[in-house]
Structure formats: C-alpha cells, structure tokens
Amino acid sequence: MLGSRRSFAVAAAGCGKTELLGQLVADQRSGRQLVLTHTHAGVAAIKRRLADMRVSHDKFHLDTIAGWCLRYGAAYPAISGYRPGSEADPDWTATYPGAEKVCRTALGRRVISESYGGVLVDEYQDCSLRQHTLVSALAEYIPCRAVGDPLQTIFGFRDDPVVPWATITSSFDVVDDALTEPWRWRRDGRNAALGEWLVAARDQLAATGSLMIADDAPIAWCSTSGALHASEAWATACRSVDFSANETVVAILKRPNQCQDLAKRMGGRWPVVERFDDPDLLQLGVTLGDKDGSAVIETLVEFLSERMTAMGTALKTAVDSIKAGRGVSRITKNRGHADRLKVLANAPTPANALAWLDGVLAHRDDWRLYRRECVFQLREALRHCTGETFADLPAMVAEARTRARHRGRLTHRRTIGTPLLLKGLEFDHSVLLWEPDHLSVQELYVAITRASKSLTIVSHSRTLIPENA
C-alpha cells in the first residue's frame, strides 16, 4: 500500500480493513495522514483501533468525509460558496463540490500538502460520485489509499449515486487477495465457526445472489408461520437468544417503522438506533413557535408519546382537562407531571418545557423511552434556549443535531436497527428478521456480519432471496 500513490485493498467484513488503516497511519514512512470515513460510528471504530495501537495523535487527523468537507468549505467561503451558518443544516449537494474547489486552488494545494502526507479513505465503496471527485482532486498532489468491499455498498442517494465499482478499480492499484481471514471471529471468546461460515456465505451471495442456510450451519434458524403477527414472531425470536447481562444484542429489520413496532412490542426495553437528522424534530422546533399554551402541551405530549411507551395514555386526561380549561386539581395519578403541564400551558417557555421533559425522562418503571436520539437532542436544544419564547428553538435544534453527530451514536446493550444505521457497529449477538420485507444483497451481508458470537435468522424458508435478486 505504501509503495503506491493510489492503492486500494479489498476485504470482507471483519478481515482487517480497520487494522490495515491503523498500520498505515502508524508506519513512520507515512507522515501525518488525513483519515476519512462515512459515519461517526466508523470514526469511533478507527479511533479505538488507533488508541489500541498507541498511535500518536499528531500522526493523523480523523473525520467523516462530510465533516471534513464542511470544515474546509467554511474556512474558505469565498472559494467554496459556503453559506454562513449552514453547518447546522448542510446542503450536501453543494458541500462536496465546494470543498473540491478549495482543493484545486493553489492555496488549497499548499495548505493540504503541508498538513498531510496522504489521505486514507475507509469504506470507499460507499463514496458518492461527488465524494470520489473530491478524493480524486486530493490524489493529484498527495498519496491516496483506500479500503472497501463491493458487497457492503448500502449508502447512496438518488441525486448523488455511489461511485461505480468499475470506476474504483480503474482509479486505484487494487489488492484483492491479501485480507481474506475472518480475524474478528477468531479472537478469544468469539465464534470462529461463525466467521468461517460468513466467508462462505459471502462467496455464495456474490455468486448466486441468494443465501441458503444449511442444517449444519453454525447459526440459529427460526422458522416463522402465519399464525403469529410479524412483530410477535420478532419479539419471540429476540427473547429466545441466549445472552448474558453484559453482552450486546441487536435485532435487525429493513425499515425504521418496523424497528419502532418491535421496540413497542418489547416494552421499550430495546431502544431503536435512529438517524441524527430526524425531520420531525426540526418540524417540532418550528411548530411550537406558532402555538398557544394548550396547543404546546398537546404537541409535546404527542411527540414524546411516539417515542416512549405508556406516557401518552397516562397524561391524556391531564392534557384534555387543561385544554378544556378545567385545570388539574382533580387529578391524582401522575400529579407532578400534570402540574408541570399546567405551568407550561400557562407560560409556554423553553424553561417550562424543559422542566416538564426532565420530569418525564426521570419517570421510571412503566414509561420507557425507546426512540432516544431526537428526544435527547430536544432536551439539549431547550437547555440552550435563552428567551421566553420558542423563537430560537429551531436554531438550537440544528446546533444540538450537529453536536450529536460529532458525539457519535447512542448505543445500548439491547437495540434494534436497520442495516444502514448499524453498519460499522459490532455486537455479541444479532437477530435478523427477514420477513415481510427482504433486504438487498448488500444489506443482507452487512446484517449477518454484525455479531461476533451468535447469529439468529428468522424467516419462512432456509433460502433467503434478497430484494431485486
């Protein structure tokens, strides 16, 4: 890799891509490297590996591709066309071309050449065409090296598709036969047999576009029937996994609404892995500014009830009573929450909304928050509001979202998510819930490689035929 200015290593999941990146950064010949990946989960994984290898911080700068482009665009707005304040709600279609413009100027070339001895890009198969164009601009004057796997291509957007694999192989010196051992599953306490099965499963998916689960496969296969509602079958399979209290477990489904249905079925004990930029939260920030006190409490309770079990039903009487002008004096159950709602209705301020929200989040036992990301962002935004109205809440929500992206994803011992949001995360055990919607080939491969100790697949048939196969 170090012998080429444009080298690319192909490797399956768990076969050493992150370790290779760490070795490239640590090597004294590489100088200071710019290390780029797609997600904050990826940033966290690489950061942990570099820390384990005791690589000095002055040997690298680690960031997401989007974050690095945003930073350089903001630093040179006259060149990039960057809009002041747009880092809170970026226009990504303009961010990448803007950073590319900076990279192609004499100033950009000098700054980047003096800052970095090269650039390393993780999960390159998920680069969009705009991101590939940016990396190509960097590669004109500093060495560019990358790792990836065509079977893990699950990002991509309608207006900015992923770079074709043929373009990648023609742009780099490709090494595709060096990283073939499933090291992740060979560590102490892991499942080596599962690792070997995943290598064979990958070959099968690449060759046939489908996956057949043999009787002797080192995984658990659960047959489903039409007798149970889908979410009941999912919940039964999740509860059947044999795991200890300190181990991590993930349930994987195709669609976010299915994840939410399962989370409710599990009583909120398995939170959902969510996107950072929930549009409902941004809309809430705008909506609250136009409502009176009774509408504010109704909107907030409705927002939280879609993310927390039992709370909406428990507070319905208080909301209805306040809206009808009767007050809460006759309410006995959950009286503290009702009193805070009454205060908020009389004085709809961010401070009173925060007091009510803090009270709800402190409630134990029968209320469980299973969609946490945007609720915690809402709490953070309310804490930073300084006025007596909700006028600055939209801006505070946008800033809270930016801080959340840099903080990284909230993780839990028991969780539910889609392949897109789970990519880059590792768990001890995973449960893949195949019906009613089938994953793509790439989503299926990402899903089955998330766990290091056990994999359970729930489906009607032992042969999984992916979407559009």
Side-chain angles (χ1 to χ4, degrees), residues 213-215 217 219-224 455-464:
I213 306 167
D215 292 342
I219 70 168
W221 177 68
C222 296
S223 175
T224 59
L455 168 64
T456 300
I457 296 179
V458 183
S459 62
H460 292 324
S461 168
R462 282 185 173 272
T463 299
L464 307 185

Short mmCIF file of all heavy atoms in Angstrom, two decimals, residues 213-215 217 219-224 455-464:
data_model
loop_
_atom_site.label_atom_id
_atom_site.label_comp_id
_atom_site.label_asym_id
_atom_site.label_seq_id
_atom_site.Cartn_x
_atom_site.Cartn_y
_atom_site.Cartn_z
N ILE A 213 -29.35 -21.52 3.95
CA ILE A 213 -28.89 -21.86 5.29
C ILE A 213 -28.97 -23.37 5.47
O ILE A 213 -30.07 -23.94 5.60
CB ILE A 213 -29.74 -21.15 6.36
CG1 ILE A 213 -29.78 -19.64 6.11
CG2 ILE A 213 -29.21 -21.45 7.75
CD1 ILE A 213 -30.83 -18.91 6.91
N ALA A 214 -27.85 -24.03 5.46
CA ALA A 214 -27.82 -25.49 5.60
C ALA A 214 -28.18 -25.90 7.03
O ALA A 214 -28.07 -25.10 7.98
CB ALA A 214 -26.44 -26.03 5.23
N ASP A 215 -28.58 -27.18 7.18
CA ASP A 215 -28.98 -27.69 8.50
C ASP A 215 -27.83 -27.62 9.51
O ASP A 215 -28.07 -27.46 10.72
CB ASP A 215 -29.46 -29.14 8.39
CG ASP A 215 -30.78 -29.25 7.63
OD1 ASP A 215 -31.46 -28.22 7.50
OD2 ASP A 215 -31.11 -30.36 7.17
N ALA A 217 -25.39 -25.38 9.59
CA ALA A 217 -24.81 -24.03 9.69
C ALA A 217 -24.66 -23.64 11.16
O ALA A 217 -25.56 -23.91 11.97
CB ALA A 217 -25.67 -23.01 8.96
N ILE A 219 -25.36 -21.33 12.99
CA ILE A 219 -26.24 -20.22 13.37
C ILE A 219 -27.55 -20.83 13.85
O ILE A 219 -27.79 -22.02 13.68
CB ILE A 219 -26.49 -19.25 12.19
CG1 ILE A 219 -27.37 -19.93 11.13
CG2 ILE A 219 -25.19 -18.77 11.58
CD1 ILE A 219 -27.90 -18.97 10.09
N ALA A 220 -28.41 -20.00 14.42
CA ALA A 220 -29.74 -20.44 14.82
C ALA A 220 -30.74 -19.97 13.77
O ALA A 220 -30.77 -18.79 13.43
CB ALA A 220 -30.11 -19.86 16.18
N TRP A 221 -31.51 -20.91 13.22
CA TRP A 221 -32.54 -20.54 12.25
C TRP A 221 -33.91 -20.79 12.87
O TRP A 221 -34.17 -21.88 13.39
CB TRP A 221 -32.41 -21.35 10.96
CG TRP A 221 -33.50 -21.02 9.98
CD1 TRP A 221 -33.68 -19.86 9.31
CD2 TRP A 221 -34.59 -21.87 9.59
NE1 TRP A 221 -34.80 -19.91 8.52
CE2 TRP A 221 -35.38 -21.14 8.68
CE3 TRP A 221 -34.96 -23.17 9.94
CZ2 TRP A 221 -36.53 -21.67 8.10
CZ3 TRP A 221 -36.11 -23.70 9.36
CH2 TRP A 221 -36.88 -22.97 8.44
N CYS A 222 -34.76 -19.77 12.84
CA CYS A 222 -36.10 -19.88 13.40
C CYS A 222 -37.12 -19.78 12.26
O CYS A 222 -37.14 -18.78 11.53
CB CYS A 222 -36.37 -18.78 14.42
SG CYS A 222 -35.31 -18.85 15.87
N SER A 223 -37.96 -20.79 12.13
CA SER A 223 -38.99 -20.78 11.10
C SER A 223 -40.20 -20.01 11.61
O SER A 223 -40.63 -20.17 12.76
CB SER A 223 -39.39 -22.22 10.76
OG SER A 223 -40.47 -22.22 9.86
N THR A 224 -40.76 -19.17 10.77
CA THR A 224 -41.96 -18.42 11.15
C THR A 224 -43.15 -18.95 10.37
O THR A 224 -43.03 -19.49 9.28
CB THR A 224 -41.78 -16.92 10.85
OG1 THR A 224 -41.52 -16.75 9.44
CG2 THR A 224 -40.65 -16.33 11.65
N LEU A 455 -25.51 -15.69 15.63
CA LEU A 455 -26.42 -15.10 14.65
C LEU A 455 -27.69 -15.94 14.60
O LEU A 455 -27.63 -17.16 14.47
CB LEU A 455 -25.76 -15.07 13.27
CG LEU A 455 -26.66 -14.76 12.07
CD1 LEU A 455 -27.23 -13.34 12.18
CD2 LEU A 455 -25.89 -14.93 10.75
N THR A 456 -28.83 -15.27 14.73
CA THR A 456 -30.13 -15.92 14.59
C THR A 456 -30.84 -15.31 13.39
O THR A 456 -30.89 -14.08 13.25
CB THR A 456 -31.00 -15.71 15.85
OG1 THR A 456 -30.32 -16.26 16.99
CG2 THR A 456 -32.36 -16.37 15.70
N ILE A 457 -31.38 -16.16 12.52
CA ILE A 457 -32.12 -15.69 11.35
C ILE A 457 -33.55 -16.20 11.44
O ILE A 457 -33.78 -17.39 11.63
CB ILE A 457 -31.46 -16.15 10.04
CG1 ILE A 457 -30.06 -15.52 9.90
CG2 ILE A 457 -32.33 -15.77 8.84
CD1 ILE A 457 -29.32 -15.93 8.64
N VAL A 458 -34.50 -15.28 11.33
CA VAL A 458 -35.92 -15.61 11.41
C VAL A 458 -36.52 -15.44 10.03
O VAL A 458 -36.53 -14.33 9.47
CB VAL A 458 -36.64 -14.69 12.42
CG1 VAL A 458 -38.10 -15.08 12.56
CG2 VAL A 458 -35.94 -14.73 13.77
N SER A 459 -37.03 -16.53 9.44
CA SER A 459 -37.56 -16.47 8.08
C SER A 459 -38.51 -17.64 7.83
O SER A 459 -38.53 -18.62 8.58
CB SER A 459 -36.43 -16.50 7.06
OG SER A 459 -35.71 -17.72 7.15
N HIS A 460 -39.30 -17.54 6.74
CA HIS A 460 -40.19 -18.64 6.36
C HIS A 460 -39.40 -19.81 5.80
O HIS A 460 -39.78 -20.97 5.99
CB HIS A 460 -41.20 -18.17 5.31
CG HIS A 460 -42.19 -17.18 5.83
ND1 HIS A 460 -42.72 -17.23 7.09
CD2 HIS A 460 -42.77 -16.11 5.23
CE1 HIS A 460 -43.58 -16.24 7.25
NE2 HIS A 460 -43.62 -15.54 6.14
N SER A 461 -38.33 -19.49 5.07
CA SER A 461 -37.58 -20.52 4.35
C SER A 461 -36.10 -20.44 4.70
O SER A 461 -35.61 -19.38 5.09
CB SER A 461 -37.76 -20.34 2.84
OG SER A 461 -36.85 -21.12 2.10
N ARG A 462 -35.40 -21.55 4.54
CA ARG A 462 -33.96 -21.56 4.74
C ARG A 462 -33.22 -20.90 3.58
O ARG A 462 -32.02 -20.67 3.69
CB ARG A 462 -33.45 -22.99 4.94
CG ARG A 462 -33.71 -23.57 6.33
CD ARG A 462 -33.08 -24.93 6.49
NE ARG A 462 -33.15 -25.42 7.87
CZ ARG A 462 -32.25 -25.18 8.80
NH1 ARG A 462 -31.17 -24.46 8.51
NH2 ARG A 462 -32.38 -25.67 10.03
N THR A 463 -33.88 -20.63 2.50
CA THR A 463 -33.25 -19.94 1.38
C THR A 463 -33.71 -18.48 1.37
O THR A 463 -34.91 -18.20 1.25
CB THR A 463 -33.63 -20.59 0.03
OG1 THR A 463 -33.18 -21.95 0.03
CG2 THR A 463 -32.98 -19.84 -1.13
N LEU A 464 -32.78 -17.56 1.57
CA LEU A 464 -33.08 -16.14 1.60
C LEU A 464 -32.81 -15.56 0.22
O LEU A 464 -31.68 -15.58 -0.27
CB LEU A 464 -32.20 -15.44 2.65
CG LEU A 464 -32.22 -16.02 4.06
CD1 LEU A 464 -31.41 -15.13 5.01
CD2 LEU A 464 -33.63 -16.18 4.59
#
